[in-house]
Amino acid sequence: MDRKIGVVGLGYVGLPVAVAFGKEHHIVGFDINEYRIETLRQGIDYTNEVTSEDLQRATIEFTNNPSSLAEVDFIIVAVPTPINENKQPDLTPLIKASETVGSNMKKGTIVVYESTVYPGATEEVCVPVLEGKSGLKAGKDFFVGYSPERINPGDKEHTFTTITKVVSGQNEEVLDIVADVYSSVVEAGVHKASSIKVAEAAKVIENTQRDLNIALMNELAIIFDKLGIDTSEVLKAAGTKWNFLNFSPGLVGGHCIGVDPYYLTHKAESVGHHPQVILAGRRINDNMGDFVATSLIKKMIHRNMPVQGARVTVLGLTFKENVPDLRNSKVIDVIRELQEFGVDVQVTDAIANPEEAMEEYGVRLVSYEKLLPADAVVFAVPHVEYVSKGWSQFNQLLKHGKGIVVDIKSALDSSLRPSNIDLWRL
């Protein structure tokens, strides 16, 4: 493998990719965020995806100077692909990254995209930008490939090197080179997709499938709540069958499961098909924050607790446990719905950045030690710091140690629940 590698975008996806390659090769790691580059040079990854030891073991030239990309001939693009307020794909980061790459790449370069997109986006959106900025012709002067990212934030078992890598290329020769490059670091091996579109489609349905499975669990949770049945107990019983899939209800946020299906539905509608099952699942999952909040309000009313002016503590704001990423967190839906009822909400998070929380959601994070005793606690994100404290923490978190606990993800053992605490969970 004699390719010189560059990685564009050093976030949750790009950094693990850069580090994996950097342990075997000398590579260039590019990001437009100056603070990100500074901290990485100091051996600090504030996303907690990569350890300081791993950063030290990797040979990476961290830079925010795009001209450094002229030194490489194999460029991996791993930038975010979010949705806008209208739930339409926002390809701005992808287009800007393509402009940067196109302006600085040389003849013979292979550009591989890892960002999640709809089928056709690499060739229809990215290639024209690369051609326009470089003055080179795709398929002749430079080549493209697509290899969907499969990073699971916070997961230390399924990592970049241990997950089979799907690869694709513009032609057979490029596909072989892309496969060869990734094979040099991915221990789990590669799967050669027959085309770039097939690889793009494979990525987008992985998270769509997961989204729909969770949507089914969420709809069941709503039904069982009305029937007065504990969903966790139902799933435990059903799970004894060998082929029952292990999914559970919850808030579906983050930059993958809650976003990717909209890329597929956008493309489907552009070719004249209105997806029904996928969008139905999205509607259910997008509305779960409101359901959690109104369920707590009902509990409070049944206990003759005043709602207006009541204090509710929310434990956790990030989109997922033990991950500091706040993007597209659905906990904010719970907070805002409670505030609509006139509830005084105080929010804490053990690992989120307070400045980011304020910037992203206008939420002021309170340190755990400074939380005022509340009428109810929404255990929204089961960070290990909270789970390890167990039920005893509610002696301090609740007024006089009694009240309501909403355990969204059933992280606490209900059999150990103190008698003076009323528990509600999905």
Side-chain angles (χ1 to χ4, degrees), residues 15 151 253 260 280 304 369:
L15 184 64
I151 300 289
D260 295 356
N304 291 320
E369 295 72 26

Side-chain angles (χ1 to χ4, degrees), residues 50-337:
V50 174
T51 63
S52 295
E53 293 76 41
D54 280 334
L55 276 175
Q56 283 165 8
R57 286 168 56 203
T59 311
I60 306 171
E61 179 195 331
F62 290 115
T63 179
N64 60 347
N65 181 0
S67 63
S68 298
L69 296 173
E71 303 164 14
V72 301
D73 57 9
F74 191 98
I75 299 174
I76 297 168
V77 179
V79 295
T81 42
I83 51 174
N84 62 23
E85 287 177 8
N86 301 318
K87 296 184 167 44
Q88 294 293 311
D90 178 6
L91 296 175
T92 308
L94 196 64
I95 291 167
K96 285 188 178 300
S98 299
E99 288 173 350
T100 300
V101 171
S103 301
N104 294 279
M105 74 177 178
K106 59 189 178 188
K107 248 186 173 181
T109 297
I110 294 175
V111 183
V112 179
Y113 289 88
E114 290 214 4
S115 306
T116 303
V117 291
Y118 52 76
T122 300
E123 290 151 301
E124 295 161 16
V125 177
C126 302
V127 166
V129 175
L130 292 172
E131 288 181 330
K133 285 292 180 181
S134 66
L136 302 173
K137 187 72 182 159
K140 178 173 171 254
D141 302 319
F142 74 93
F143 304 89
V144 295
Y146 183 81
S147 180
E149 62 92 355
R150 281 175 163 172
I151 300 289
N152 183 25
D155 190 336
K156 303 306 178 191
E157 182 187 347
H158 302 99
T159 62
F160 176 74
T161 59
T162 63
I163 304 168
T164 301
K165 199 82 172 91
V166 174
V167 294
S168 64
Q170 236 171 336
N171 56 39
E172 279 298 319
E173 189 185 349
V174 172
L175 174 58
D176 288 341
I177 295 170
V178 173
D180 183 43
V181 170
Y182 278 105
S183 295
S184 72
V185 293
V186 178
E187 295 156 15
V190 300
H191 172 89
K192 292 180 177 180
S194 59
S195 70
I196 287 174
K197 282 184 182 176
V198 165
E200 290 168 326
K203 168 57 189 174
V204 86
I205 70 163
E206 288 172 20
N207 285 330
T208 300
Q209 182 189 64
R210 186 161 172 75
D211 191 42
L212 285 169
N213 277 305
I214 298 171
L216 173 61
M217 295 301 112
N218 278 335
E219 186 158 54
L220 292 175
I222 293 168
I223 294 168
F224 295 147
D225 186 63
K226 290 182 182 297
L227 295 174
I229 305 171
D230 189 311
T231 307
S232 293
E233 296 302 322
V234 175
L235 294 178
K236 198 183 293 179
T240 58
K241 192 183 179 195
W242 75 93
N243 60 353
F244 187 81
L245 300 178
N246 182 27
F247 287 92
S248 53
L251 302 176
V252 183
H255 47 96
C256 290
I257 302 174
V259 171
D260 295 356
Y262 287 120
Y263 274 74
L264 185 57
T265 57
H266 165 81
K267 188 62 177 178
E269 286 175 338
S270 76
V271 292
H273 176 73
H274 180 71
Q276 297 181 54
V277 175
I278 298 171
L279 287 174
R282 280 280 77 233
R283 276 195 300 277
I284 289 167
N285 287 342
D286 276 346
N287 290 324
M288 288 310 288
D290 289 358
F291 174 68
V292 169
T294 52
S295 297
L296 171 56
I297 297 299
K298 286 177 188 174
K299 272 272 186 200
M300 293 170 73
I301 292 168
H302 288 153
R303 285 180 61 121
N304 291 320
M305 293 169 71
V307 173
Q308 281 242 333
R311 184 182 297 129
V312 173
T313 295
V314 174
L315 290 182
L317 181 61
T318 63
F319 91 90
K320 181 182 181 181
E321 60 270 24
N322 308 319
V323 170
D325 195 349
L326 288 166
R327 284 179 295 172
N328 197 34
S329 171
K330 292 298 174 186
V331 179
I332 192 63
D333 296 349
V334 180
I335 294 166
R336 286 177 180 155
E337 186 68 9

